[in-house]
């Protein structure tokens, strides 16, 4: 007896065969992917803003060139991800509209301000570090175009993470004021980075289904724990500390225990009330409006070539 489209889909997922754009897929699977990939793309694009803030003030030409390259990589990641999401039948214009009218989310982390040069280091080490922890498993996600986009993105993120750590390492070996700047930045970015993994598993509405469909390979809490375990060791190389008095190696669990997360802050930031939500969205809308002439010119050029 012939298999139904749903049975074919399920058996592909079971056998680790990638789902491709023209394959039949449940509507909910498609919607989940459009939501996750577009929010991921928006995060990369909005994520350019906090670091963009420091390009003109980088302390040396080398630091400036590296930071420009990193921010440019983030733009590239956003574009790959919009392209991957478009293969599911939603246009880029629609996705961008959803970002601008507040219907679509972007990562909570980009709603915090970058107030010192050390923040460029902390973003690279902690924010890119958390992004890699979450994204390496996405190279094996069940939807082909998303998985393939993640391979290159992860390679670039890993460079970003190392350049951030190196900024902090330099500061940590510097003057008293530089060491202070380094610790202060870690103190401000630690908890928001821990929150990047999303709500705890018992409060995460999407995780169970996304794990069944192999969109997600690990739960939010599993990835968060891996991140804490790695950072708790790496911070020692900096001679700094993480701002958590309850951080402690647990011999039985073979993991670090850590203190309670301020979920009130997390939900408040993702509902639009973080320190920089308004500023970030205003900057995106302004850039989009001011770029209208570029889109018009590109369309006119493409039309002329078609003719
Ligand atoms: N921020 O049920 P779950 C980067 C929302 S890339 C805002 O657990 P899910 C690179 C979630 O959307 C960073 N919202 O949802 C870079 C859902 O809301 P909805 C971005 C969050 O999807 C570095 C609700 O809460 N990475 O940083 C957050 O199964 C440096 C319930 O949550 C990705 O997007 C949050 N942190 O799991 C760039 C990776 N967490 O849609 C520049 C791909 C949760 O129902 C500089 N995404 N929410 O209204 C994922 O892996 C997943 O979507 C999760 C959330 C893990 C983020």
């Amino acid at each position: 007896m012939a298999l139904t489209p749903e049975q074919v889909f399920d058996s592909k997922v079971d056998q680790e065969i990638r789902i491709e754009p023209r394959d039949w897929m449940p509507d909910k699977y498609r919607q989940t992917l459009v939501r996750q990939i577009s929010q991921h793309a928006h995060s990369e694009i909005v994520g350019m803003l906090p670091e963009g803030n420091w390009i003109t003030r980088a302390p040396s030409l080398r630091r400036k060139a590296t930071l420009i390259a990193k921010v440019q990589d983030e733009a590239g990641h956003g574009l790959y991800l919009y392209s991957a999401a478009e293969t599911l039948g939603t246009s880029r214009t629609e996705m961008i509209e959803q970002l601008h009218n507040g219907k679509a989310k972007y990562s909570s982390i980009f709603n915090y301000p970058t107030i010192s040069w050390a923040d460029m280091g902390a973003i690279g080490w902690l924010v890119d570090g958390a992004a890699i922890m979450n994204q390496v498993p996405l190279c094996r996600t069940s939807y082909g175009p998303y998985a393939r986009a993640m391979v290159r993105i992860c390679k670039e993120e890993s460079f970003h993470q190392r350049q951030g750590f190196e900024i902090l390492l330099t500061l940590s070996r510097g003057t008293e004021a530089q060491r202070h700047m380094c610790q202060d930045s870690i103190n401000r970015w630690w908890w928001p980075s821990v929150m990047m993994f999303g709500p705890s598993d018992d409060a995460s509405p999407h995780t169970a289904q996304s794990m069944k469909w192999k969109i997600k390979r690990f739960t939010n809490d599993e990835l968060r724990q891996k991140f804490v375990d790695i950072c708790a060791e790496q911070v020692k190389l900096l001679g700094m500390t993480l701002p958590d008095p309850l951080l402690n190696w647990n011999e039985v669990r073979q993991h670090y225990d850590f203190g309670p997360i301020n979920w009130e802050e997390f939900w408040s930031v993702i509902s639009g009330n973080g320190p920089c939500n308004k500023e970030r969205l205003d900057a995106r809308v302004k850039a989009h409006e001011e770029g209208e002439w570029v889109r018009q010119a590109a369309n006119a050029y493409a039309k002329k070539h078609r003719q």
Side-chain angles (χ1 to χ4, degrees), residues 32 35-36 39-41 43-48 51 70 74 77 103 105-110 123-124 127-128 131 134-135 138 146 157 160 195-200 203-207 210 216 220 223 266-267 270:
T32 300
R35 178 184 63 79
Q36 177 166 327
Q39 294 189 1
H40 193 167
S43 304
E44 298 281 357
I45 298 296
V46 178
M48 293 160 71
E51 287 166 299
K70 179 184 192 289
E74 280 147 13
H77 299 172
K103 275 197 198 140
K105 295 192 169 68
Y106 58 86
S107 185
S108 49
I109 193 79
F110 302 117
I123 290 185
V127 177
D128 284 278
N134 164 277
Q135 289 173 187
L138 290 175
Y146 192 23
E157 300 286 27
H160 295 171
M195 291 177 199
M196 274 178 78
F197 295 92
S200 57
S204 159
H206 302 301
T207 294
S210 287
K216 281 169 110 164
N220 299 355
L223 292 172
F266 171 78
W267 293 114
I270 72 169

Side-chain angles (χ1 to χ4, degrees), residues 34 38 42 90 93-104:
V34 170
S38 66
H42 300 327
T90 304
T93 312
E94 249 174 286
M95 291 184 267
I96 290 174
E97 247 170 50
Q98 286 173 355
L99 170 68
H100 292 177
N101 66 24
K103 275 197 198 140

Side-chain angles (χ1 to χ4, degrees), residues 102 104-113 189 191-192 195-196 262-278 280-281:
K105 295 192 169 68
Y106 58 86
S107 185
S108 49
I109 193 79
F110 302 117
N111 292 308
Y112 292 86
W189 288 92
W191 286 109
M195 291 177 199
M196 274 178 78
N262 183 346
W263 291 118
E264 216 175 292
E265 174 178 328
F266 171 78
W267 293 114
S268 161
V269 171
I270 72 169
S271 5
N273 302 315
C276 299
N277 293 58
K278 185 170 176 329
R280 301 289 185 237
L281 262 195

